[in-house]
Structures are given as C-alpha cells and as structure tokens.
C-alpha cells in the first residue's frame, strides 16, 4: 500500500532524481483512478528540442500521463520536474493541447477568442486581453492558415480546422514544452501535414513536444523519440532503436496480466482472489 | 387599478433586479451545461436558512446569507462526492443531494415556525405583493438586498470575464494557465446561492430557477458571442419584468375579473414567450431560418433538375442548337406546385433559360454551361460508383441524381482523377468535358 500513499518525502529529496536541464523529467510516478492504478512507476526524461511520440493501445494511460504531468489529475506517488522545478512554478513554460472531443464546440465564441485564450496566462487576473494579445492570436491563426476563419463561431469549423485553432492557441502560449493529446485524431490530410510542419518548426526553435499518437504508420517519420506505453513504460528512446517490432509486440501484444490483476486487487481493497 | 410609482415602480424594480441578477450567473450555468445546479442550489439552501434562523433567532439578512452560502457550497461538494463514490452521473447525484437537503429544510422549518412566522409557501412562491405594501413604508429590504446582489454579480461577471470564459470553455487549459477552474466553479456556486436566497423573497424559489435558466437560454439561441449573450439575457430579464407587471395590472381589465395574477409567475410566462419566439426566429439554429434554408435548397435542386432535363432533351435530339421543351411538359414532370413555378421563373430571371414561341423553354448558353457541369457531376459519380462496386446499372441513377447537387469543384476534380476513363459513363453516354469552375 506504500505505493499509493501520498508522497511523504521532502521535495528537496526528490530533486536529486531530476536533471535540471530536462524540459520534463518524471521520477517513479504512479497514477490511480479510484485507487485503481492506471500508470505504474513511470520514469522518463525528455531531451530538449525533440519531437516525442507517446504510443500505446487503448487504455494504456496515454492521456492520463499528460494530464498527470499538468497536475490536472493527482499523482499517487512520484515527482515531476519541468526544467528542474515543480510544474506549479513553471506553468508559463508548458503549453497544452487537449483532446478535441473534450470541448463544447457550441460555446458562443469564435476562433480568434479561442486562440486569444492562449495569452491569458500572461495577463494578470481581472485584466482584459489587450490589442497586442489579439494581434498575436491573429498571427498564430495566420500561421496555421486559419486567418480567414478568425471570426467564425467554432462549431462551424471542420474537425481539421478546429484542431488548427487549438494549435494556434498553443503557439501563442509560446511555451518551451508542449503536451498534445491526439492532435492528429480525425483530421484531414491537409491539416495533418500542416500540423507536422508546425511541429518541425517548433523543434527548429528548440521547443520540446510530447504528442499522444495512435497511427503507428507515421511514428517513424514524425518523431525523434518515442515512448511505448502500456500502463508502464515498455520502452522509450530514439525512434530508430526503440520503435522495433519486438517492443511493439511487448506493448500491444499479450496483456500485462499481472499488472491488471494487481490493479484490480488494489481497487477492491483486498489482496488476492481467494 | 391605478398605477402608483411608489408601489408598482418598486415591484418592477425588484423583479428587474432579481431577474437580471439571476440572468448574469445563470448564463454561466447554461454554458457549463449544469443548468440543474441552479435548481439544486436554490432548493438546497432552505436548510441553511432554517438553521441560520434557529441559531440566531432572527431573520436578519446576514445570517440568512451565511447559511445559504454554506449550504450552497455543501451542495456542490456533496454532488461531486456522490457522483464519485456512488459512481453515478452528475445529474443523478445532484438530484439526490438537493432533494434530501430540501427535505431536511422542510422538516426543520416546522421546528422554526413554532417560534416565528417563517412561511414555507413564501419560500416556494415568493411574496411580491408584500413588497408592494412595504414600498409605502420606506425602501423595502428586498429591494436593497437585490440591488446589492445584482451589483455583486455584475462586478463578478465583468471583472472575471476572461477567467469565467476560459474556465467554462476549457477547464483543463484554464488550470494549466494558472486560472484554477475549480476555484471559479465554487465562486460561481456561491453567487448562485446568494442570488437564489435574495431572490426568494421576491419571486420564490421555483421561479428563481426559471429566471436563472430561461433568459440565458433565449440569449444563447440568438447569438454566438459570449458578451452579447450576457447582455441579451439581462435585457430579456428586464423586459420580462416590466412587461409582466404591466400585464398584471391590465389583467383584471382584459379578463373582467377582480383577481390579479402574481407578477413573478407572469414574469416566467413572459420569459417563456421570449424563448418560444427565439426558438422560431433565431439565426442559424431557429426553426424559421432552418425552414428557409431547406426551402432555398429545394428550390436550387428543382432548378438544377429542370436544367438537367432540358440538357438531356437536347442531347436526345442530338441538336446543338437550342431545342425547346414545352413548359407544360416540364410542369407535368416536376409537378404543378408553386416550387416548380418559382423555379421556372427564377431560371428565366437568371438568364439560364429562355422562352421560345410563348410556351416552350430552351437553355441559354449560360444555362447550357451550368447544365453541363451538373450532368458531368452526375455521370462522373455514376462512373465512379460503377468502377468501385458491382451494383447493377439500374442502381446508379437514383443516388447520382441526389449527389449531383452537392459536388463542388474540389470533389469533381477528385472524382475525375479517380475515374479511369472520364469520357463515357457506365450507360455509354458521354460525360460533358470542361473544367470545374467555382460555384457562383
């Protein structure tokens, strides 16, 4: 049960596990929903200026990993550092692109409003966005080829266009590290290539991007590094050496029966099936 | 009944303040898809009021507000807990929490009424008539309280406009930007509780729910800008207040009865009327606009079908020069209804067809061009389907007849590339050449 208790170690003690130069480093993180662990013992450190794909079967905990990094769901144990400091102190450095389905697209705002939200982190509480913020938002829309739709209500955009609006919003955040949850889901070919061009551009400017991805065909051509995830990290590292058939089999094939069973037992609160 | 500024003016002001205060916070309930929370909180605060009364033995507004806010927050918290640990959806959790809290309030109120007049029906239905009477002995307390709550809501909604917007739209992003979405949620719940309690006295708890939801939904239908939605919802609440009280005054005259209906009930009726009108006339989402779009589409399809027939007729005759078809024949094919008549007229007006010999119709050059494009789409589609499936030939025409109206230049180019031999369709008829052009 020690596994699931809240971290009691002092924060300083955790720092020795983290490389302060890493855009994000995760040490021994476990995440549980209703006590049922969905991610076990995650250890990972990203290298700056890389495009990193997170790949794994349904229910592997890909979105959970991203949300836990952003403090959107609590960790059962473990620690995370963004450039050597806790996330709370480094919010400004991290941009987030949520899943498109998580949003109510009927909300009465237009594309420009959504992108302008990316600047809210830089504006003090109770102050409205100024002209320079709106200009920045408009330029980001131009960059993703959506300027002509700036004033259109967001439900009247196609899926690919909605995703571009989300990316434009991430761009105006001007973060060092981006966490993106399935940006390629349900977009057309034109949007897919626009997104990948954008990711390459971010990389060229020294940004680090973690992307939850589900199209195995494109992993090799899109990402420098890859995390193969199935409740735990099966393998991670440069795509060329990590994205191997054997590792894929370990990730997708054969269930990790013992992990699942142990998780069930913890959720039930008992030890083993008796 | 005669108009009195002191009495009627006060009642209208009270109703306006209550309605507008509700509309401001209610808009965000609607946008967060938690309209039921207004219902829940406005019922659940009852035990808070009663307990506050039992402790302080006064109906002072301070104690009442504290009691209401505490229970309001408790409702939001309990709802989340029941949803999580009871593993039920949030709506069910809300239903469980507020009905039980309300029932506890009803039980406790018996104990309280032994001591003082705390009338359960007043909580449910409000007592705007009292305010009318009070107005003649100085400013009624309800008016003062409502003014304060309205001002509070207004300041909240204006000052935290950006924070409310992002936390309602995308709580995840909001929290990563440092705008705690949970904090905004509870701030909103506190204001809903305050607003509900203070509005009770004027309009009663049942009608508070209506004023929290109905004007914002009306506004939501009419605009796709958040700021305008807030403004409209306040305007509709205000209008409903004024019109309802005027209607109340006029009611005995109209219906020749000495009885006056309740202003707060009338106000909800008016809010409902506004909503009904909005459902019909709303741009894009409204019934009228949808019917209009549907008609316009049907007309366009009918026009294009007529062009198609004229083209095929001309093709059949093998005549390059204009072949005319009797209008009567076209009417026989497409029906004698007004849609055909209008389509025929608008084709002539657009110079796509021309009348020949008084009662026959032929394609103009422009019309021929348009018809070619349509037939091209039709036959390309048939060819495409024939090459990609083994449907019998007689299954091809009908769907193509429908699809042809919706194939734009981009899709047409794609079809042309997909189809192996874009010269003839599966029936052996030639596919008109020419290049896809922009829809005009």
């Amino acid at each position: 049960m020690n596994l699931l208790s809240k971290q009691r170690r002092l924060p300083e003690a955790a720092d020795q596990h983290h490389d302060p130069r890493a855009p994000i480093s995760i040490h021994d993180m476990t995440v549980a929903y209703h006590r049922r662990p969905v991610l076990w013992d995650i250890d990972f450190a990203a290298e700056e200026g890389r495009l990193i794909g997170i790949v794994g079967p349904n229910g592997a905990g890909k979105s959970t990993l991203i949300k836990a990094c952003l403090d959107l769901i609590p960790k059962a144990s473990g620690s995370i550092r963004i450039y050597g400091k806790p996330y709370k102190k480094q919010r400004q450095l991290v941009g987030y692109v949520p899943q498109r389905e998580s949003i109510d697209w009927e909300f009465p705002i237009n594309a420009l409003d959504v992108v302008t939200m990316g600047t809210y982190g830089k504006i003090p509480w109770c102050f409205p966005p100024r002209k320079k913020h709106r200009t920045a938002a408009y330029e980001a829309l131009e960059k993703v080829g959506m300027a002509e739709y700036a004033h259109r209500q967001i439900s009247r955009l196609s899926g690919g266009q909605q995703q571009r609006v989300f990316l434009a919003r991430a761009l105006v955040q001007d973060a060092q590290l981006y966490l993106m949850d399935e940006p390629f889901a349900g977009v057309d070919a034109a949007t897919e290539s626009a997104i990948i061009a954008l990711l390459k551009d971010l990389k060229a400017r020294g940004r680090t991007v973690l992307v939850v991805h589900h199209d195995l065909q494109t992993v090799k051509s899109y990402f420098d590094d890859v995390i193969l995830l199935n409740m735990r990290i099966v393998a991670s590292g440069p795509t060329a050496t990590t994205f191997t058939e054997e590792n894929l089999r370990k990730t997708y094939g054969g269930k990790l029966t013992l992990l699942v069973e142990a998780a069930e037992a913890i959720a039930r609160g008992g030890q083993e099936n008796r | 009944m005669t108009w009195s500024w002191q009495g009627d003016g006060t009642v209208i002001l009270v109703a306006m303040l209550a309605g507008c205060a509700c509309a401001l916070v209610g808009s965000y309930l609607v946008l967060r898809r938690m309209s039921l929370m207004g219902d829940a909180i406005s019922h659940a605060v009852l035990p808070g009021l009663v307990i506050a009364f039992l402790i302080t033995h006064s109906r002072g507004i301070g104690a009442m507000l504290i009691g209401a806010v505490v229970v309001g927050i408790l409702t939001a918290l309990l709802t989340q807990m029941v949803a999580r640990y009871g593993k039920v959806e949030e709506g069910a959790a809300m239903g469980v929490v507020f009905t039980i809290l309300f029932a506890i309030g009803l039980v406790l109120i018996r104990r309280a009424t032994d001591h003082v007049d705390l009338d359960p029906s007043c909580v449910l239905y409000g007592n705007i008539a009292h305010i009318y009477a009070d107005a003649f002995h100085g400013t009624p307390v309800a008016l003062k309280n409502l003014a304060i709550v309205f001002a509070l809501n207004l300041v909240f909604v204006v000052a935290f406009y950006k924070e409310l917007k992002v936390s309602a739209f995308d709580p995840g992003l909001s929290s990563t930007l440092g705008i705690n979405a949970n904090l905004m949620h509870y701030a909103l719940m506190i204001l809903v509780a305050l607003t509900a309690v203070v509005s009770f006295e004027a309009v009663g708890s049942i009608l508070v729910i209506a004023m929290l939801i109905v004007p914002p939904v009306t506004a939501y239908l009419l605009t796709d800008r958040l700021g305008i939605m807030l403004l409209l919802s306040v305007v509709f609440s205000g209008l409903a207040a004024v019109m309802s009280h005027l209607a109340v005054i006029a009611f005995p005259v109209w219906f020749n009865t000495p009885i006056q209906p309740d202003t707060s009930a009338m106000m909800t009726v008016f809010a409902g009327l506004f909503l009904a009108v909005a459902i019909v006339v709303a741009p894009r989402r409204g019934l009228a606009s949808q019917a209009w779009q549907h008609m316009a589409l049907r007309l366009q399809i009918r026009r294009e079908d007529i062009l198609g027939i004229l083209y095929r007729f001309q093709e059949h005759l093998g005549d390059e020069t204009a072949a005319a078809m009797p209008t009567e024949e076209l009417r026989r094919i497409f029906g004698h209804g007004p849609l055909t008549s209008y389509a025929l007229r608008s084709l002539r007006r657009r110079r796509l067809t021309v009348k020949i010999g008084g009662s026959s119709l032929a394609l103009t050059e422009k019309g021929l061009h348009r018809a070619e494009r349509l037939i091209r789409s039709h036959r390309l589609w048939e060819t495409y389907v024939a090459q990609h499936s083994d449907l019998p030939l007689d299954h091809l025409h009908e769907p193509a007849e429908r699809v042809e109206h919706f194939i734009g230049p981009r899709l047409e180019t794609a079809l042309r590339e997909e189809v192996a031999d874009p010269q003839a369709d599966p029936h052996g008829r030639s596919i008109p050449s020419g290049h896809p052009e922009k829809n005009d």
Side-chain angles (χ1 to χ4, degrees):
Chain A
M1 274 306 167
N2 197 23
L3 176 74
L4 296 176
S5 59
K6 285 251 184 315
Q7 175 136 25
R8 288 200 189 85
R9 272 174 294 183
L10 294 170
E12 299 82 56
D15 279 337
Q16 68 190 44
H17 303 293
H18 297 284
D19 177 358
R21 285 162 307 164
I24 183 165
S25 87
I26 307 171
H27 175 71
D28 196 19
M29 179 179 77
T30 294
V31 181
Y33 277 123
H34 301 149
R35 303 209 309 171
R36 179 193 305 266
V38 286
L39 284 174
W40 297 82
D41 309 309
I42 302 295
D43 273 311
F44 177 76
E47 221 175 288
E48 192 165 48
R50 310 278 278 184
L51 301 183
I52 305 163
I54 304 175
V55 175
N58 281 336
K62 302 185 294 277
S63 295
T64 308
L65 178 61
I66 281 193
K67 286 184 187 146
C69 291
L70 294 161
D71 270 0
L72 291 176
I73 49 176
K75 295 180 274 293
S77 68
S79 58
I80 291 179
R81 293 292 181 271
I82 309 290
Y83 285 102
K85 290 192 189 127
Y87 170 71
K88 276 193 174 55
K89 292 186 182 160
Q90 306 280 57
R91 264 186 231 286
Q92 297 280 343
L93 300 181
V94 188
Y96 172 42
V97 178
Q99 266 181 42
R100 195 154 49 81
E101 293 77 42
S102 64
I103 297 302
D104 172 16
W105 291 94
E106 290 290 332
F107 205 88
I109 47 177
N110 62 31
L112 189 62
D113 288 329
V114 174
V115 179
T116 310
M117 285 179 184
T119 66
Y120 284 8
K122 299 190 186 78
I123 308 170
W125 279 69
C126 299
F127 278 83
R130 298 230 303 270
K131 191 148 187 252
K132 65 171 183 192
H133 299 116
R134 254 188 288 276
T135 311
Y138 191 79
E139 281 165 7
L141 274 175
E142 266 176 348
K143 217 165 178 180
V144 298
M146 286 287 296
E148 58 178 307
Y149 301 104
H151 298 287
R152 186 172 286 196
Q153 202 273 329
I154 49 176
S155 69
R156 290 158 70 203
L157 301 172
S158 73
Q161 290 170 334
Q162 291 176 343
Q163 196 64 62
R164 289 183 199 208
V165 170
F166 262 19
L167 280 162
R169 187 174 72 180
L171 285 184
V172 291
Q173 276 185 270
D174 194 26
Q176 289 298 315
L177 167 72
Y178 285 102
L179 305 178
M180 304 188 177
D181 204 344
E182 303 232 14
F184 294 104
V187 304
D188 51 292
T191 300
E192 178 143 356
S193 51
I195 297 176
I196 202 68
L198 214 80
L199 294 185
K200 297 247 152 91
D201 181 50
L202 286 173
K203 177 192 161 171
R205 292 191 285 129
R207 309 310 204 254
T208 313
V209 191
L210 263 78
V211 180
V212 172
H213 195 58
H214 61 201
D215 180 11
L216 294 181
Q217 306 289 325
T218 48
V219 170
K220 276 205 162 151
S221 54
Y222 287 0
F223 302 110
D224 308 316
D225 296 329
V226 68
I227 300 176
L228 293 169
L229 192 75
N230 193 352
M231 295 183 76
R232 63 193 172 99
I233 290 186
V234 177
S236 73
T239 312
T241 52
T242 313
F243 197 67
T244 60
E245 256 190 56
E246 202 202 328
N247 280 338
L248 279 175
R249 211 171 26 245
K250 277 196 218 157
T251 314
Y252 284 85
K255 285 211 166 175
L256 299 157
T257 3
L258 289 183
L259 276 191
V260 173
E261 247 179 60
E264 296 278 335
I266 293 169
R268 274 199 311 270
Q271 283 93 41
E272 256 181 82
N273 270 330
R274 268 173 285 199
Chain B
M1 201 163 146
T2 50
W3 169 267
S4 128
W5 276 110
Q6 202 164 6
D8 297 298
T10 309
V11 167
I12 288 181
L13 200 57
V14 163
M16 278 177 83
L17 286 171
C20 296
C22 286
L24 285 173
V25 286
S27 290
Y28 282 100
L29 290 179
V30 169
L31 287 176
R32 288 164 165 259
R33 314 233 152 193
M34 46 190 309
S35 315
L36 194 61
M37 202 55 160
D39 191 351
I41 286 187
S42 57
H43 278 89
V45 290
L46 183 61
L49 300 184
V50 180
I51 290 168
F53 173 77
L54 287 173
I55 292 172
T56 63
H57 288 285
S58 85
R59 282 204 301 176
I61 187 72
M64 293 288 140
L65 289 186
I66 292 169
V69 167
V70 169
V71 180
I73 295 171
L74 196 67
T75 310
L77 271 175
L78 283 175
T79 300
Q80 283 188 350
M81 274 172 63
V82 172
R84 180 175 306 166
Y85 297 111
K87 301 204 163 118
V88 291
E89 46 114 8
E90 197 149 274
M94 238 180 252
V96 169
V97 170
F98 90 77
T99 46
I100 291 176
L101 283 174
F102 186 62
I104 292 173
L106 284 178
V107 171
L108 288 175
I109 211 169
R110 285 279 146 239
R111 167 107 185 73
T113 42
D114 287 348
H115 304 277
V116 81
D117 58 325
L118 201 63
D119 180 9
S121 73
C122 172
V123 174
L124 281 179
Y125 311 117
N127 202 345
I128 212 157
H130 248 133
I131 291 163
Y132 187 93
D134 279 358
F136 295 95
H137 317 283
T139 317
V141 191
L143 181 63
K144 231 186 304 172
N145 295 338
L146 276 168
I148 293 169
V149 166
F150 172 70
L152 199 64
N153 287 358
L154 190 65
V155 168
F156 177 70
V157 164
V158 171
F160 295 99
Y161 183 72
K162 148 175 129 277
E163 288 79 9
L164 281 167
K165 180 159 139 183
V166 65
S167 65
F169 174 64
D170 189 344
L173 176 91
S174 176
S175 295
T176 66
L177 291 172
I179 298 166
N180 190 321
N182 253 328
L183 190 74
M184 295 313 294
H185 174 76
Y186 281 102
L188 186 65
M189 290 309 121
I190 288 175
L191 282 182
V192 170
L194 277 180
T195 310
V197 169
V198 174
S199 308
F200 276 172
E201 214 169 337
V203 295
S205 77
I206 293 174
L207 299 180
V208 165
I209 301 159
M211 296 321 288
L212 278 171
I213 306 306
V214 182
V217 170
T218 312
Y220 176 78
L221 282 170
L222 293 174
T223 178
D224 44 28
R225 307 283 297 144
L226 176 61
I228 296 174
M229 174 181 161
L230 289 168
L231 192 70
L232 281 181
S233 68
V234 168
V235 168
F236 289 140
S237 292
L239 266 182
V242 176
M243 290 169 74
S244 64
H245 192 68
L246 295 180
V248 164
I249 293 173
F251 193 85
V253 183
W254 290 344
F255 295 95
N256 198 19
T257 149
I259 300 159
Q260 267 192 343
D262 201 38
T263 299
S264 53
M266 190 63 100
M267 191 165 158
T268 311
V269 171
F270 269 94
L273 279 177
F274 292 163
L275 178 60
V277 172
I279 286 173
V280 176
V281 305
R284 212 153 57 75
R285 285 186 266 238
L287 294 177
S289 132
Q290 276 171 17
W292 174 254
Q293 281 165 22
H294 184 67
M295 268 315 288
L297 183 64
R298 278 184 60 193
L299 182 65
Q300 187 203 333
I301 288 176
R302 182 62 52 91
R303 270 201 309 260
E304 293 183 349
D305 284 343
I306 294 173
L307 290 178
I309 285 278
L310 287 173
Y311 181 90
R312 289 187 176 93
F313 181 60
Q314 188 171 323
E315 188 184 45
H316 176 71
L317 291 180
D319 194 352
E320 280 298 307
T321 58
M325 196 168 182
T327 320
E328 231 1 84
E329 181 67 13
L330 286 169
R331 283 184 194 281
R332 202 183 53 73
I333 297 170
F334 291 107
H336 294 269
L339 193 66
T340 309
S341 303
Y342 193 78
L344 285 170
R345 226 176 313 147
S346 83
L347 277 172
R348 274 205 308 280
R349 216 173 32 236
R350 287 163 191 234
R351 311 216 180 286
L352 294 168
T353 60
V354 63
K355 236 179 185 165
I356 287 181
S359 63
S360 288
L361 216 56
L363 291 170
T364 62
E365 188 148 343
K366 195 171 153 201
L368 183 71
H369 227 72
R370 186 74 68 82
E372 268 180 353
R373 197 172 81 202
L374 196 74
I375 300 289
R376 193 159 63 230
S377 299
H378 181 105
R379 293 184 181 163
L380 277 174
W381 181 258
E382 285 188 333
T383 316
Y384 171 75
V385 174
Q387 284 175 5
H388 287 80
S389 64
D390 29 279
L391 283 172
L393 283 187
D394 66 335
H395 282 47
L396 298 175
H397 179 75
E398 288 282 325
E401 195 62 8
R402 216 166 312 140
V403 167
E404 63 182 15
H405 306 287
F406 302 96
I407 293 179
R410 206 178 54 79
L411 200 54
E412 189 187 317
T413 313
L415 277 175
R416 190 185 296 276
E417 281 163 9
E418 277 286 314
V419 166
D421 172 28
Q423 298 299 315
D425 74 2
H427 309 286
R429 282 184 289 251
S430 77
I431 298 177
S433 59
H435 289 286
E437 45 202 307
K438 279 248 168 212
N439 257 325
D440 47 8

